[in-house]
Amino acid sequence: MLVRTDLALEMKEDIETNEPIKGVHVSTKNNGDTDILETRIVVENEEGAMNLGKPVGTYITLESEHLRERDESFHKPMSKVLSKVIKNFIGNKKKIMVAGLGNREVTPDALGPYVIDNLYVTRHLLKEGIIKHSVEISAIAPGVMAQTGMESLTVLQALTKEIKPQLLIVIDALAARQSDRLNKTIQLADTGISPGSGVGNHRNAINKDNIGIPVIAIGVPTVISVPTIVNDAMDAMAEAMGKYGPKNVLKKFNDEEKYRLACELVNPYFEKMFVTPKDIDEAVKRISYTISEAINEACLA
Amino acid sequence: MLVRTDLALEMKEDIETNEPIKGVHVSTKNNGDTDILETRIVVENEEGAMNLGKPVGTYITLESEHLRERDESFHKPMSKVLSKVIKNFIGNKKKIMVAGLGNREVTPDALGPYVIDNLYVTRHLLKEGIIKHSVEISAIAPGVMAQTGMESLTVLQALTKEIKPQLLIVIDALAARQSDRLNKTIQLADTGISPGSGVGNHRNAINKDNIGIPVIAIGVPTVISVPTIVNDAMDAMAEAMGKYGPKNVLKKFNDEEKYRLACELVNPYFEKMFVTPKDIDEAVKRISYTISEAINEACLA
Amino acid sequence: MLVRTDLALEMKEDIETNEPIKGVHVSTKNNGDTDILETRIVVENEEGAMNLGKPVGTYITLESEHLRERDESFHKPMSKVLSKVIKNFIGNKKKIMVAGLGNREVTPDALGPYVIDNLYVTRHLLKEGIIKHSVEISAIAPGVMAQTGMESLTVLQALTKEIKPQLLIVIDALAARQSDRLNKTIQLADTGISPGSGVGNHRNAINKDNIGIPVIAIGVPTVISVPTIVNDAMDAMAEAMGKYGPKNVLKKFNDEEKYRLACELVNPYFEKMFVTPKDIDEAVKRISYTISEAINEACLA
Amino acid sequence: MLVRTDLALEMKEDIETNEPIKGVHVSTKNNGDTDILETRIVVENEEGAMNLGKPVGTYITLESEHLRERDESFHKPMSKVLSKVIKNFIGNKKKIMVAGLGNREVTPDALGPYVIDNLYVTRHLLKEGIIKHSVEISAIAPGVMAQTGMESLTVLQALTKEIKPQLLIVIDALAARQSDRLNKTIQLADTGISPGSGVGNHRNAINKDNIGIPVIAIGVPTVISVPTIVNDAMDAMAEAMGKYGPKNVLKKFNDEEKYRLACELVNPYFEKMFVTPKDIDEAVKRISYTISEAINEACLA
C-alpha cells in the first residue's frame, strides 16, 4: 500500500467505521491533570495487521496542543509521561542502545540526531569504573544513506552485534497525514520502524526480526508528503464543486486509488519533496530536548 | 496579486501570449560553451510593471541543469558568469554591503547566511591599513524576525545609515512555481527584494526607496508554496477528467481566482508551510558557495 | 595594563593585600540553600577604578561548582538567582535589546549567539498586536569583525539608534586567569564590556558612553590566554627550583613585568591563540541555556 | 613516552643529531612549481620505531604556507598533490571506507566529520545500480566517546566487519608541538592512528592489527597541548636568563624529564585543555574541503 502516514492513529482514523476493527484494540486515557491524551492501539494478530496496515504490536500516541509551544513549562509534563511509557517498554533491561535516525543537516529530519546530542550516555563511564550500578546507555546517529553509502539498518546491525545491547531505541522524524498533528504528537511503538515515507528514505525495517533484539521506535511527525496534500485538496474541491464537479467521479475511487491519482497529478519530482512548517527549527529543537530528557529519566532515575 | 513565484521569469511565462508584453523587454543569450541560459527581463515603465506584476527594473535569470549537481567543476562556470553579471551591476562603486537574509536554522532558508560565511570581507582590513586599494566589503546576516524581533529591513536601514555603503547586495532564498527550477536557477535584480512568499516572511521591501542606495538582489528558488502545488494538481485533475470533470467549471476562473481557490482548498495551517526537496542541504551548501565565490571575484578581482 | 582576566573578582584577588582596597567595596553572600556564592564588587570612584583596573560600577559574580555539570537540576537554581540579579538591573525599563557577541563557529566564543537562539523575543509580537503589556525584547547576534568587517560596537550603535531600547544587555564569552573558574562562573556588570582579551578581539568598549543607554554585560569565562598559563608556570617553576632557580630573579619583576616577560617567552603567534577545555561544547550549550532562561524570566515573569 | 606531537616530522626534529637515525629513512621533495614541501619518513624496522617513537611504516608530510590562507586558488594545488599521494596508498583497491573521527561540536576537532560532509559516497549508488564501474566508497563519522559511549575503534571494527572494505581511510585532527605548523601541514601515514593527545582522547589504535585491513590516516594539526607551550616557554626563559637563571638547572634534565616537569608545573586541569588559534573555524572548514576533494579525486578520477 502507498504510505500516507507513519502514525497508527491516523491509519485507524482512515478506516471509516464505527465498529471495532477486528484484531485491533484501541483505548484512550488522560494523564492526570495534564492535557496529554494517550491513545493505545494494540494490533493483536495478523488479521489486525491486515486491517490496520501496521505490523502486530503496541502503538502509543501522546498528543498535546502545548508541545508545539515555546514555553518550557509545557514540556516538563510531556517529558514525564513519555518517560513513564518508555520505562514500561524497558522493563528490567540493563543494556540499551539509542539510535537517532535522520539527516542532521535537514531541519525536519534532524530530530533523531538532536536527541542523541542531549542524551546522557554511560557505557564508557561504566567500562572505566567511573560510575557503577547504572543502566548501560550507548548512542549513535548513523547518518543517512546519501552521506554514508550505508542503510541505517546495516549500521545498526553491525553495532548491535558488537555492543550487544538488550534493547534498541530508535528515534526518527515521521510523516503525518494531518497538518495539525505535526510537532505535537509523539508515537511509541514496540514494532520498530517499518519503511515509510518519513522525511528521507533512509530506512529498511529496523525491527526485532532484522536486529535480533526488541526495538522501540519513538517518532514525531514533522513533515507531510506532497501527494497527501493534493489528495486532501482534491477531496475539498470535489466537495466544494458539488453536483457541477468531480464529486461523483471521485466517488468511484477508493482511498488508495484516489491517493494514486494524487501521485500522478503531481510532478514526479515532488515524490522527492516534503512539506514542513516554517517554524520547524524551534519545534524540532524543543521536542528533541523533551525526548532526550524522557529517555534520560526512564533509564537513569 | 497573490504571489506564487518570486521569479520574474515565471511571471512572464504565466502570461500566456506570443505577443510581446507592453513595457517589458525580454532577451536571452547562451554563455559561450557553457550550458548556462541567461534571460534578461527589463521592466521598462509602470505599464510593464502592471503587466508583469514586478517593479520597474532589470531581472536576470541564470539557469543551468548542472547547478543541482554535486560536481564542483559545474559550479565554476556558473560562478564566472554570475560574477560578470554582478560586476556590471556594481560598476565603479567602492563601498559595498552584503546582507544574507533568512534563517540559518531552517535548511532551505539558510542560503543567505551561508553566503555570508564564505565571503571575503575587507572593511576592517582597510580601516586598519592591513590592505589597501580594495573595494570595501562589509557583511551581515540580520537573522529573522522570530529570532530578533526586528524586520530585516529595519536592521539594514540602521546599518547602512551607519556604514554608508554605496550599494547593498541582498541574498535570499526564493519561492518558485515550477519544481524543476528549484536549486538550478539564480535570479539577479536591481529592484531589491519585494515582499513575497519566500521561505519565511522576514521581509519588508528592501529596495532603493527604503534604503536610500541601489539594492541588488540575488536569489535562488529553494521552496514552492503549498497552494502552488494544489493549484497545479487542480489543473492536471481538470485536464485528466475531461468532459466528466471540472474542466468546464475551472475554465470560468482566471489564474488569480484559481489560486485563491487552491488557497481555500488547503488547510489554513498550510499557509505557514513550504515544500522543499529532500536533498536541500547539499543543494543550499553548494549554491551558496557558488554565489560567495562570484561576489568575491566581482568585488576583488 | 595588559589584561589577563575579564573577571573583576580575579583582578581583586591579584591585589595581594588583606586591607580593603580604597574606592572598592567587596561583599559576598550565599543564596539560600543553593551552593551559589555571590560576590559583589562595587568600584565606587576613579580611585577605586585605578586600584582595581576596572571602570566605576558594580560587578556581581555568581559561582557554582555545579554549573559545570550536566545535570539539568543544578542549572535551575543558578537560572533563578541570575534572573533575580538581572531583574534588579532592569528595574522598570520596558524596552530591552539583547546582543549575543562572539563567533558562532568557534565553540568557546559561541556563548553569546547561543543565548540569542533560546531567547523569547517580543518586539514584533507587540508591534503586530499579537501580545500586549509585555516588556519589549529585541535581540541580535552581530557576528565578529572577521565575518562582517564591522566592530560589534558599530553594529550595536546603529541598531540602538534605530530601535531605541532603554537598556542593552550584552552577552559574551570571557577570559579568566584561573582554569578552575572556566564554565562555572557568571559575571554581571553595569559597566558594559571593556576591550579585553576574551576569545576573539571583537570588541570596542560597549558601554553607556558609546551606546547612550545603560549597558549590562553578562559574561562567562570559557578560555584562558596563553601568556597567563606561561606566567603561572613560570611562578610554579621559580617556586619549585628554590634557591638554585630563578626565584630571586623573578622577584625583581612586578606582576605586569612578569606578564610581559611571559608574552615575550611565547611565540608571537600564540597571542592569536586561546586555551579551552575539551568538553567546551557541552559547557557552552548548557550555560547559554541557563542564561537565556534567566533573561526570559527576568523580562517576562 | 609522553606524547607532545602527533607529527612524525616533529618527532624526527626532536632528535637533535645531524647523523641519520638508524632504521629511519628521510627524504624530501618539492612538488613541481607549487610551494608544497613533501617529507617522506620511512620507519623501516623496530629499531627505527624505537628511535623515532612511531610505529613501523611510511609517514608523508605535506606543508604549505598557503594552506592557512583563504584564497581558494592555493587549495587546488594542495588538493592535487594530496590526491596523488592518496592514490598511491589506495593502489587498485576497489572498496574503501572513510571515517571522520572527532567531535563535530568542538571546532578544532571537527575536521574529520567535516571531511565526511563533502565526500562523494558511492556504495548505495552501486548497490542500486545507479552507477557502475566506480570504486565503492562508504563513510562514517563515528562521533566521540562522550556522545556515544563507544570507542571510535569499536564502531569501526563493527562497521568494517559488516561492510568488508579493503581499505580504511581515517581523518583526524592532530596535536603539534610547533604553533606555526597548525593548519598548514597534512600528514598521511599507512600505520593508522596511534593513541595520542590530539584534541580529544577519542582513540584506541585504529590500525591494521585492530581492524584487519590496511588503514591510512590523514591528519592535520589544529591544536597544541598546554604542557608543550609551557615546556617551550621554560626553554626560552632559561635561555633568556642566562647565567643568572635556571639554564644550568634545566640542562640536567633530558627532553622527557623537562616535559614531565612542564606537566607538573601546570594545573592538572590543563591536561584536559587544548590551545588553538582564534581563526580556527575558517581554517578547519577550508582544509576539510581540500581533503574531501583530494579523496574524491583519488577514488573516482
Side-chain angles (χ1 to χ4, degrees):
Chain A
M1 200 186 100
L2 290 164
V3 174
R4 296 170 53 190
T5 175
D6 293 322
L7 295 177
L9 185 61
E10 289 190 340
M11 299 191 78
K12 194 215 66 172
E13 288 170 352
D14 279 357
I15 300 168
E16 289 161 55
T17 170
N18 288 320
E19 286 168 49
I21 304 163
K22 274 192 184 163
V24 176
H25 184 261
V26 181
S27 60
T28 59
K29 76 167 177 180
N30 290 304
N31 271 279
D33 53 355
T34 71
D35 77 324
I36 301 167
L37 180 68
E38 181 176 331
T39 307
R40 177 178 296 256
I41 298 177
V42 183
V43 178
E44 291 165 325
N45 47 40
E46 283 309 317
E47 188 185 8
M50 286 277 276
N51 288 335
L52 191 70
K54 280 279 193 186
V56 171
T58 300
Y59 302 84
I60 291 170
T61 312
L62 303 175
E63 288 177 280
S64 163
E65 272 308 321
H66 293 313
L67 199 57
R68 208 186 265 161
E69 292 174 35
R70 291 188 61 113
D71 193 327
E72 207 50 31
S73 61
F74 292 124
H75 286 249
K76 277 267 156 182
M78 179 55 102
S79 194
K80 287 259 180 247
V81 173
L82 182 56
S83 166
K84 244 186 286 174
V85 178
I86 295 172
K87 208 161 187 166
N88 262 338
F89 277 122
I90 293 179
N92 61 356
K93 301 196 181 64
K94 290 291 177 214
K95 296 181 68 175
I96 298 171
M97 180 177 283
V98 185
L101 307 185
N103 184 347
R104 179 187 293 280
E105 309 290 325
V106 175
T107 318
D109 203 23
L111 180 82
Y114 284 8
V115 168
I116 299 304
D117 284 351
N118 288 306
L119 222 54
Y120 184 59
V121 296
T122 59
R123 186 175 173 274
H124 60 304
L125 303 175
L126 286 163
K127 286 230 157 216
E128 292 165 5
I130 294 168
I131 61 170
K132 284 176 185 177
H133 310 302
S134 169
V135 170
E136 180 194 296
I137 315 279
S138 55
I140 191 83
V144 294
M145 209 163 64
Q147 291 166 345
T148 65
M150 302 179 281
E151 294 270 5
S152 296
L153 172 63
T154 310
V155 175
L156 295 179
Q157 281 172 328
L159 288 175
T160 49
K161 255 185 245 171
E162 195 81 24
I163 303 295
K164 302 198 198 325
Q166 299 162 302
L167 176 72
L168 177 65
I169 300 177
V170 295
I171 324 290
D172 201 4
L174 305 178
R177 199 172 54 78
Q178 279 182 262
S179 62
D180 57 7
R181 281 231 166 74
L182 294 191
N183 301 326
K184 49 183 242 202
T185 305
I186 299 180
Q187 175 177 276
L188 288 98
D190 63 3
T191 58
I193 280 192
S194 298
S197 51
V199 180
N201 260 322
H202 37 79
R203 301 178 297 185
N204 236 323
I206 298 169
N207 56 26
K208 196 175 175 179
D209 282 358
N210 288 332
I211 299 281
I213 51 168
V215 179
I216 293 172
I218 302 177
V220 175
T222 62
V223 300
I224 297 179
S225 76
V226 171
T228 294
I229 282 172
V230 170
N231 184 85
D232 289 359
M234 256 166 40
D235 280 353
M237 185 166 128
E239 194 64 42
M241 294 195 165
K243 61 179 174 179
Y244 307 111
K247 201 177 176 179
N248 294 311
V249 181
L250 282 179
K251 259 187 191 157
K252 294 176 205 151
F253 299 107
N254 67 18
D255 273 5
E256 191 175 330
E257 287 166 336
K258 258 192 342 195
Y259 185 74
R260 251 187 237 283
L261 179 61
C263 288
E264 276 165 33
L265 290 178
V266 297
N267 190 313
Y269 188 58
F270 282 120
E271 296 273 326
K272 292 186 211 143
M273 302 183 86
F274 61 84
V275 186
T276 202
K278 290 183 180 182
D279 63 350
I280 186 66
D281 61 325
E282 261 182 39
V284 167
K285 264 197 220 163
R286 300 250 156 194
I287 299 172
S288 69
Y289 190 74
T290 301
I291 296 175
S292 307
E293 289 295 290
I295 298 178
N296 286 342
E297 203 179 312
C299 293
L300 303 171
Chain B
M1 201 188 99
L2 291 163
V3 173
R4 296 170 54 191
T5 176
D6 293 322
L7 295 176
L9 185 62
E10 289 190 339
M11 299 189 78
K12 194 215 67 171
E13 289 170 352
D14 279 357
I15 301 168
E16 287 161 57
T17 170
N18 288 321
E19 285 168 49
I21 305 163
K22 275 192 183 164
V24 176
H25 184 261
V26 181
S27 59
T28 60
K29 76 166 177 181
N30 290 305
N31 272 280
D33 53 356
T34 71
D35 79 323
I36 301 167
L37 180 67
E38 181 177 332
T39 307
R40 178 177 296 255
I41 298 177
V42 183
V43 178
E44 291 165 325
N45 46 40
E46 283 309 316
E47 188 186 8
M50 286 276 277
N51 288 336
L52 191 69
K54 281 278 193 187
V56 171
T58 299
Y59 303 84
I60 292 169
T61 312
L62 303 175
E63 287 177 280
S64 164
E65 271 310 320
H66 293 312
L67 199 57
R68 208 186 265 160
E69 291 173 36
R70 291 188 61 115
D71 194 327
E72 206 51 31
S73 61
F74 292 125
H75 285 249
K76 277 266 157 182
M78 178 56 101
S79 195
K80 286 258 181 247
V81 173
L82 182 56
S83 166
K84 243 185 287 173
V85 178
I86 296 172
K87 207 160 187 167
N88 263 338
F89 277 122
I90 293 180
N92 61 355
K93 299 196 182 64
K94 290 289 176 216
K95 297 181 67 175
I96 297 171
M97 181 178 283
V98 185
L101 307 186
N103 185 346
R104 180 187 293 279
E105 309 290 325
V106 175
T107 317
D109 202 24
L111 180 82
Y114 284 8
V115 168
I116 299 303
D117 284 353
N118 287 308
L119 220 55
Y120 184 58
V121 295
T122 58
R123 185 176 173 275
H124 58 305
L125 302 175
L126 287 163
K127 286 230 156 214
E128 292 166 4
I130 294 168
I131 60 170
K132 283 174 188 178
H133 311 303
S134 169
V135 170
E136 180 196 294
I137 315 280
S138 55
I140 191 82
V144 294
M145 210 163 62
Q147 291 166 346
T148 65
M150 302 178 282
E151 294 271 5
S152 295
L153 172 62
T154 310
V155 175
L156 296 178
Q157 281 172 327
L159 288 175
T160 49
K161 256 185 241 171
E162 195 80 25
I163 303 295
K164 301 196 196 329
Q166 299 162 302
L167 176 72
L168 177 67
I169 300 177
V170 295
I171 324 290
D172 202 4
L174 305 178
R177 198 172 55 76
Q178 278 182 261
S179 63
D180 58 6
R181 282 231 165 75
L182 294 191
N183 302 324
K184 50 182 243 205
T185 305
I186 300 180
Q187 175 178 275
L188 288 97
D190 63 3
T191 57
I193 281 193
S194 299
S197 50
V199 180
N201 260 321
H202 37 79
R203 303 181 294 187
N204 235 323
I206 298 169
N207 57 25
K208 195 175 177 180
D209 282 358
N210 287 332
I211 298 282
I213 52 170
V215 179
I216 293 171
I218 302 177
V220 175
T222 62
V223 299
I224 297 179
S225 77
V226 171
T228 295
I229 281 171
V230 170
N231 184 85
D232 289 359
M234 257 167 37
D235 281 354
M237 184 166 129
E239 194 64 42
M241 295 196 165
K243 60 179 175 181
Y244 309 111
K247 200 175 177 182
N248 294 311
V249 181
L250 282 179
K251 258 187 191 158
K252 294 175 205 152
F253 298 107
N254 67 18
D255 273 4
E256 191 175 333
E257 286 165 336
K258 259 193 340 198
Y259 185 73
R260 251 186 239 283
L261 179 62
C263 288
E264 277 165 33
L265 290 178
V266 296
N267 189 312
Y269 187 61
F270 281 121
E271 296 272 326
K272 292 186 210 143
M273 302 183 86
F274 60 83
V275 186
T276 202
K278 290 184 181 182
D279 63 350
I280 186 66
D281 60 325
E282 260 181 41
V284 166
K285 264 197 221 162
R286 299 253 156 193
I287 299 172
S288 68
Y289 189 74
T290 302
I291 296 176
S292 306
E293 290 295 290
I295 298 178
N296 285 342
E297 203 178 314
C299 293
L300 303 171
Chain C
M1 200 185 102
L2 290 163
V3 173
R4 296 170 53 190
T5 176
D6 293 322
L7 294 177
L9 185 63
E10 289 190 340
M11 299 191 79
K12 193 215 65 168
E13 288 170 352
D14 279 357
I15 301 168
E16 289 161 54
T17 170
N18 288 321
E19 287 169 47
I21 305 162
K22 275 192 183 163
V24 177
H25 184 261
V26 181
S27 59
T28 60
K29 76 167 178 179
N30 290 303
N31 272 279
D33 53 355
T34 71
D35 77 322
I36 301 167
L37 180 67
E38 181 177 332
T39 306
R40 178 177 294 256
I41 298 177
V42 183
V43 178
E44 292 164 325
N45 47 39
E46 282 310 315
E47 188 185 9
M50 286 277 278
N51 288 336
L52 191 69
K54 279 279 192 186
V56 172
T58 299
Y59 303 83
I60 291 169
T61 312
L62 302 176
E63 287 177 280
S64 164
E65 270 310 322
H66 293 312
L67 199 56
R68 208 186 266 160
E69 291 174 36
R70 290 187 61 112
D71 193 328
E72 206 50 32
S73 61
F74 293 125
H75 285 249
K76 277 267 156 182
M78 179 55 102
S79 194
K80 286 259 181 245
V81 173
L82 182 56
S83 166
K84 244 186 287 174
V85 177
I86 295 172
K87 207 160 187 167
N88 263 337
F89 276 122
I90 293 179
N92 61 356
K93 299 194 183 64
K94 290 290 176 215
K95 298 181 67 176
I96 298 173
M97 180 177 283
V98 185
L101 308 185
N103 185 346
R104 179 187 293 277
E105 308 290 325
V106 175
T107 317
D109 202 24
L111 180 81
Y114 284 8
V115 168
I116 300 304
D117 284 352
N118 287 308
L119 221 54
Y120 184 58
V121 296
T122 59
R123 185 176 173 275
H124 58 305
L125 303 175
L126 286 163
K127 287 231 155 215
E128 293 165 5
I130 294 168
I131 60 169
K132 284 174 187 179
H133 310 302
S134 169
V135 170
E136 180 195 296
I137 315 279
S138 56
I140 191 83
V144 294
M145 210 163 62
Q147 291 166 345
T148 65
M150 302 179 280
E151 295 270 5
S152 295
L153 173 61
T154 310
V155 175
L156 295 179
Q157 281 172 327
L159 288 175
T160 49
K161 256 185 245 171
E162 195 81 24
I163 303 295
K164 301 197 197 329
Q166 297 163 302
L167 176 72
L168 177 66
I169 300 177
V170 295
I171 323 290
D172 201 5
L174 304 178
R177 197 172 56 76
Q178 278 182 263
S179 63
D180 57 7
R181 282 232 164 73
L182 294 191
N183 302 326
K184 49 183 246 204
T185 305
I186 300 181
Q187 174 177 276
L188 289 97
D190 63 2
T191 57
I193 280 192
S194 299
S197 51
V199 179
N201 261 322
H202 38 80
R203 301 179 296 186
N204 237 324
I206 298 170
N207 56 26
K208 196 176 174 177
D209 282 358
N210 287 332
I211 298 281
I213 53 168
V215 179
I216 293 172
I218 301 178
V220 175
T222 62
V223 300
I224 298 179
S225 76
V226 172
T228 294
I229 281 172
V230 170
N231 184 85
D232 289 358
M234 256 166 39
D235 280 354
M237 183 166 131
E239 194 64 43
M241 295 196 163
K243 62 179 174 180
Y244 309 110
K247 199 176 177 180
N248 294 311
V249 182
L250 282 179
K251 256 187 193 159
K252 294 177 204 151
F253 300 106
N254 67 18
D255 272 5
E256 190 175 330
E257 286 165 337
K258 260 193 341 197
Y259 185 74
R260 250 187 237 283
L261 178 62
C263 287
E264 277 165 32
L265 290 178
V266 295
N267 189 311
Y269 188 59
F270 282 120
E271 297 272 326
K272 291 187 213 143
M273 302 183 87
F274 61 84
V275 186
T276 202
K278 290 183 181 182
D279 63 350
I280 186 65
D281 61 325
E282 262 182 40
V284 167
K285 264 197 221 163
R286 300 251 154 193
I287 299 172
S288 68
Y289 189 73
T290 301
I291 296 176
S292 307
E293 289 295 289
I295 298 177
N296 286 342
E297 203 179 313
C299 293
L300 302 172
Chain D
M1 202 188 98
L2 291 162
V3 174
R4 296 170 54 191
T5 176
D6 292 323
L7 295 177
L9 185 62
E10 290 190 339
M11 299 190 78
K12 193 216 67 172
E13 288 170 352
D14 280 357
I15 300 168
E16 288 162 54
T17 171
N18 288 321
E19 286 168 49
I21 305 163
K22 275 193 182 162
V24 176
H25 184 260
V26 181
S27 59
T28 60
K29 77 166 177 182
N30 291 303
N31 272 279
D33 52 356
T34 72
D35 77 323
I36 300 167
L37 179 68
E38 181 177 332
T39 307
R40 178 178 294 257
I41 298 176
V42 182
V43 178
E44 292 164 326
N45 47 39
E46 283 310 316
E47 188 185 10
M50 286 276 276
N51 288 336
L52 190 69
K54 280 279 193 187
V56 171
T58 300
Y59 302 84
I60 291 169
T61 312
L62 303 175
E63 288 176 280
S64 164
E65 272 310 321
H66 293 312
L67 199 56
R68 209 186 265 159
E69 292 173 36
R70 291 188 61 114
D71 193 328
E72 205 51 30
S73 61
F74 291 124
H75 285 249
K76 276 267 157 183
M78 178 56 101
S79 194
K80 286 258 180 247
V81 173
L82 182 56
S83 165
K84 242 186 289 173
V85 177
I86 295 171
K87 208 161 186 167
N88 262 339
F89 277 121
I90 293 178
N92 61 356
K93 299 194 182 66
K94 289 291 177 214
K95 296 181 67 175
I96 297 172
M97 181 177 284
V98 185
L101 307 185
N103 185 347
R104 180 187 292 279
E105 308 291 324
V106 175
T107 318
D109 202 23
L111 181 82
Y114 284 8
V115 168
I116 300 303
D117 284 352
N118 287 308
L119 221 55
Y120 184 59
V121 296
T122 59
R123 186 175 172 276
H124 59 306
L125 303 175
L126 287 163
K127 286 228 156 217
E128 292 165 5
I130 295 168
I131 61 170
K132 282 174 189 181
H133 310 304
S134 169
V135 171
E136 179 196 296
I137 315 279
S138 56
I140 191 83
V144 295
M145 209 163 64
Q147 291 166 347
T148 64
M150 301 178 281
E151 294 271 6
S152 296
L153 172 62
T154 310
V155 176
L156 296 179
Q157 281 172 328
L159 288 176
T160 49
K161 255 185 246 173
E162 195 80 24
I163 303 296
K164 301 199 198 326
Q166 298 163 302
L167 175 72
L168 177 65
I169 301 178
V170 295
I171 324 290
D172 201 5
L174 306 177
R177 200 172 53 77
Q178 279 182 262
S179 62
D180 57 6
R181 282 231 165 75
L182 294 191
N183 302 326
K184 50 183 244 204
T185 305
I186 299 180
Q187 175 176 277
L188 289 96
D190 63 3
T191 57
I193 281 193
S194 298
S197 51
V199 180
N201 260 321
H202 38 79
R203 303 180 294 187
N204 236 324
I206 297 169
N207 56 26
K208 195 176 176 178
D209 282 358
N210 288 331
I211 298 281
I213 52 169
V215 179
I216 294 172
I218 302 177
V220 175
T222 61
V223 300
I224 297 178
S225 76
V226 171
T228 295
I229 282 171
V230 170
N231 184 87
D232 289 358
M234 257 167 38
D235 281 353
M237 184 166 130
E239 194 64 43
M241 295 195 165
K243 62 180 172 177
Y244 309 109
K247 199 174 177 180
N248 294 312
V249 182
L250 282 179
K251 258 186 191 158
K252 294 174 205 153
F253 299 106
N254 68 17
D255 273 4
E256 191 176 332
E257 286 166 337
K258 259 193 339 197
Y259 185 74
R260 251 187 237 283
L261 179 62
C263 287
E264 276 165 32
L265 290 178
V266 296
N267 190 311
Y269 187 60
F270 282 120
E271 295 273 327
K272 291 186 213 144
M273 302 183 86
F274 60 83
V275 186
T276 203
K278 290 184 181 183
D279 63 350
I280 185 67
D281 60 326
E282 261 182 41
V284 167
K285 264 197 223 164
R286 300 250 156 194
I287 298 172
S288 68
Y289 189 74
T290 301
I291 296 176
S292 307
E293 289 295 290
I295 298 178
N296 286 343
E297 202 179 313
C299 293
L300 303 172

